[in-house]
Amino acid sequence: MEDNKKKLSLARFRVRGLFAQFDHTIPTNSLNHVTAITAPNGSGKTVCLRLIEALFKRRWTIFTTTEFKDIVYEFSDGSSIIIKKINDLEGANAALSLFVKQDQNYELNLGHAHSGWWPKVGDIPEDALNQISRRLGFLTRFGQNAWRHDSTGEAFDTQKIIEIYGDRLPVRFSKFTDEPLELKVIIDSIDCHLIETQRLFIFDADERPTYEEKYFRREARSDAALTISFKARRLREIIRKDLAQYATISQSLDRTFPHRFIQNKSQQNLNDIRHSLDALDVLRNDLVGVGLLGREQHQPIDFGSDDIDDADVRVLSVYAEDTKAKLNSLKSLHDKIKLFTEIVNARFRFKSLQIDREEGFRLVSRDRSIPLEKLSSGEQHQLVLFFELLFELSDNALILIDEPELSLHVAWQAKFIEDLLRVINLNEFNVILATHSPILIGKWWDLVVQLGDERDDDYRPDWDEYEDDYGHDNERDYGK
């Protein structure tokens, strides 16, 4: 049964004194679930996204290394989390205070980094610290509490390692000092992910590539082929799981059919049953169309003459209810696959994405399969992004996207928010995206929060300067 309890969401993010220059407020759009932020370069919009993610990922180190005066996270239930800088120092010497405010009459002062509670690791013995380099072979220790990433050169202390890699380390590494329940409840209510510029990303952890591929994509190298192949395998497993559930439901209904037929006292008339079966035939045909069912499983009933007695009507009534229950077990996956292929294939030229129960998905051009790695970088990123938004989000997700327009043709930029809203309508999550592209924003200026004086209200793209290779009428299709 669906949980009718209202989900907690981030209602507003505020930061003062960012870089000792900027005060930013980002109210989220609770109606459309998409908030687009724009700002001049250097004003901190990407840092705002990172500060939002840092709270929900418990990346506390960023608060000690980023210059700000205070940050307020306001939530849809009226609660808020407040982080204040007590001094102007950074790193280990930074002092911050943390408050949880649940309503106007209750505020919990959790203390700060040098007194009271603060999210820090407890004492870890030397033998345990030695396990870090053994478990995380790409980190080299060069001091008592210092490691360096072999590829990127980035320095880590124990706190930062646990924030990022805690789930790869023994249990004793995975917990900070006891976290107050009031704070934990809020943070755990929202599953937040930041998708940064030109990165391929993995949300799911069951069969993912290495942690290197998840957390460190600062180099120009591409692991796209590996990532996309993983997504194909992931979809194959999702399909297998749902088909197994379909088979279980079918077997259960078939086994109990005689008993339910005897108990059935339905007074449905034949025309109503015909309409129900016609609608189910359409759904079954759609399931065949997206590759979930084989064509041999689509066999519409031929009623023949109207000479059908009451016993036949009772049989057909139970059969219709059973068929509805069986097919509806695949309806959610069908809707996601259908939208996924529509969005992706609208972007592909001379090739198409096809769903395959054995491969998950594959690329076809002129009736020939082509390798997944042949996709362009823009195609790769769009495929991975929409796959994850449709198939891999946890409940009540908040997705932060930094400059999604990069590597995208202007036609794709113009379709991005529209397609994002289609996915949200199906999968329900919230998005905050940062962009410089007026083409991407298009007609969606009501979703925009301006952090700087960047927008010209009289701005209108000169569509003639863009050559559209996709057969679109630019002004008609991309908005005014």
Side-chain angles (χ1 to χ4, degrees):
M1 187 173 63
E2 186 177 348
D3 186 3
N4 292 322
K5 185 178 178 181
K6 193 168 183 179
K7 296 175 181 177
L8 188 71
S9 61
L10 181 66
R12 186 186 304 269
F13 168 82
R14 292 187 291 133
V15 57
R16 290 195 305 163
L18 184 63
F19 312 141
Q21 281 185 279
F22 303 108
D23 296 340
H24 293 321
T25 299
I26 304 174
T28 61
N29 191 313
S30 60
L31 179 63
N32 298 103
H33 301 285
V34 175
T35 303
I37 59 175
T38 64
N41 285 325
S43 54
K45 64 183 184 301
T46 297
V47 173
C48 286
L49 296 184
R50 290 175 180 168
L51 289 169
I52 293 172
E53 184 208 33
L55 175 69
F56 300 105
K57 292 292 190 183
R58 295 174 169 86
R59 304 271 170 83
W60 304 106
T61 302
I62 192 173
F63 298 109
T64 63
T65 57
T66 303
E67 185 178 9
F68 66 91
K69 183 177 180 180
D70 55 53
I71 301 173
V72 180
Y73 304 81
E74 299 176 12
F75 297 93
S76 54
D77 66 349
S79 63
S80 58
I81 293 175
I82 305 162
I83 299 176
K84 296 181 179 180
K85 277 280 182 75
I86 297 176
N87 59 23
D88 295 328
L89 302 177
E90 293 187 7
N93 296 317
L96 301 94
S97 60
L98 184 62
F99 301 84
V100 177
K101 187 174 181 179
Q102 294 183 325
D103 55 47
Q104 292 183 347
N105 300 316
Y106 179 77
E107 180 174 285
L108 175 66
N109 184 347
L110 299 179
H112 57 78
H114 299 302
S115 68
W117 181 87
W118 182 254
K120 57 183 179 296
V121 298
D123 293 332
I124 299 176
E126 182 66 23
D127 67 317
L129 292 176
N130 288 333
Q131 292 187 39
I132 291 178
S133 294
R134 290 199 296 270
R135 299 268 184 146
L136 306 173
F138 49 88
L139 294 180
T140 299
R141 191 175 183 183
F142 65 93
Q144 176 63 27
N145 186 33
W147 284 260
R148 181 174 288 111
H149 191 283
D150 294 338
S151 297
T152 67
E154 184 172 358
F156 292 81
D157 60 14
T158 307
Q159 173 100 3
K160 189 173 180 181
I161 289 173
I162 293 175
E163 289 175 1
I164 297 178
Y165 298 112
D167 54 351
R168 277 198 82 181
L169 296 170
V171 174
R172 62 177 133 175
F173 286 98
S174 63
K175 296 184 182 300
F176 296 102
T177 51
D178 293 339
E179 190 174 72
L181 181 61
E182 294 90 341
L183 179 67
K184 177 178 173 57
V185 167
I186 295 175
I187 292 178
D188 288 346
S189 295
I190 297 175
D191 184 32
C192 182
H193 298 277
L194 171 61
I195 301 169
E196 295 203 61
T197 305
Q198 296 196 42
R199 291 191 181 185
L200 292 175
F201 24 84
I202 301 289
F203 290 167
D204 189 85
D206 294 337
E207 193 186 347
R208 63 189 171 196
T210 67
Y211 283 70
E212 294 285 88
E213 291 153 357
K214 179 175 181 182
Y215 291 114
F216 292 97
R217 295 188 181 278
R218 290 174 173 81
E219 310 96 298
R221 64 186 178 86
S222 173
D223 292 306
L226 176 62
T227 305
I228 293 175
S229 295
F230 165 78
K231 298 305 179 188
R233 294 194 305 272
R234 179 78 176 107
L235 182 57
R236 179 188 64 194
E237 295 308 312
I238 291 171
I239 291 173
R240 286 179 177 176
K241 180 180 177 181
D242 278 35
L243 287 178
Q245 181 185 23
Y246 169 81
T248 299
I249 292 172
S250 298
Q251 291 169 5
S252 175
L253 291 172
D254 292 347
R255 186 171 58 251
T256 60
F257 183 90
H259 175 73
R260 288 181 293 107
F261 168 67
I262 293 171
Q263 297 296 319
N264 180 38
K265 306 299 182 184
S266 173
Q267 300 298 316
Q268 266 190 300
N269 63 58
L270 184 58
N271 284 333
D272 289 341
I273 294 174
R274 277 178 166 168
H275 289 318
S276 296
L277 291 174
D278 286 344
L280 291 170
D281 282 339
V282 172
L283 176 55
R284 186 186 286 108
N285 191 50
D286 287 345
L287 292 169
V288 171
V290 300
L292 289 178
L293 296 179
R295 296 203 173 273
E296 70 279 359
Q297 294 170 281
H298 184 212
Q299 298 177 354
I301 293 178
D302 182 5
F303 282 88
S305 69
D306 291 332
D307 187 17
I308 297 177
D309 61 26
D310 290 344
D312 294 333
V313 171
R314 288 172 57 212
V315 170
L316 290 171
S317 174
V318 178
Y319 169 80
E321 290 300 318
D322 286 6
T323 302
K324 181 179 180 180
K326 295 175 185 178
L327 298 183
N328 278 347
S329 69
L330 297 174
K331 182 67 166 59
S332 175
L333 180 57
H334 160 272
D335 292 345
K336 291 178 181 180
I337 287 176
K338 184 177 181 181
L339 183 55
F340 176 58
T341 54
E342 285 178 0
I343 289 174
V344 170
N345 284 329
R347 286 159 167 74
F348 286 1
R349 300 184 67 196
F350 312 122
K351 65 181 83 72
S352 64
L353 184 81
Q354 295 184 359
I355 304 302
D356 186 287
R357 281 180 286 176
E358 298 303 319
E359 299 181 40
F361 57 76
R362 59 194 182 97
L363 292 174
V364 175
S365 178
R366 298 178 182 177
D367 297 323
R368 293 188 306 169
S369 291
I370 58 177
L372 294 173
E373 61 266 22
K374 295 296 183 182
L375 292 174
S376 70
S377 61
E379 290 171 331
Q380 293 164 3
H381 282 79
Q382 290 288 279
L383 187 153
V384 172
L385 171 63
F386 284 105
F387 182 92
E388 295 195 337
L389 295 181
L390 279 163
F391 297 102
E392 294 188 340
L393 291 190
S394 301
D395 188 46
N396 202 30
L398 171 60
I399 305 302
L400 313 171
I401 310 177
D402 188 24
E403 299 187 15
E405 64 268 20
L406 297 182
S407 297
L408 297 187
H409 185 280
V410 291
W412 295 7
Q413 292 183 38
K415 290 172 62 67
F416 185 80
I417 290 182
E418 179 182 347
D419 286 338
L420 189 59
L421 290 169
R422 294 172 68 194
V423 175
I424 289 171
N425 186 57
L426 184 63
N427 225 20
E428 193 171 336
F429 54 93
N430 294 296
V431 173
I432 302 175
L433 63 87
T435 181
H436 289 291
S437 172
I439 306 298
L440 186 139
I441 294 171
K443 62 184 178 182
W444 304 101
W445 279 103
D446 58 322
L447 306 179
V448 172
V449 174
Q450 298 176 73
L451 303 186
D453 186 18
E454 191 178 49
R455 181 189 174 193
D456 178 357
D457 287 333
D458 295 325
Y459 173 82
R460 183 182 181 192
D462 181 3
W463 295 113
D464 293 336
E465 69 178 273
Y466 301 110
E467 181 181 354
D468 188 351
D469 298 326
Y470 292 79
H472 294 290
D473 178 324
N474 285 324
E475 183 172 344
R476 179 197 68 208
D477 294 343
Y478 305 148
K480 297 181 180 180

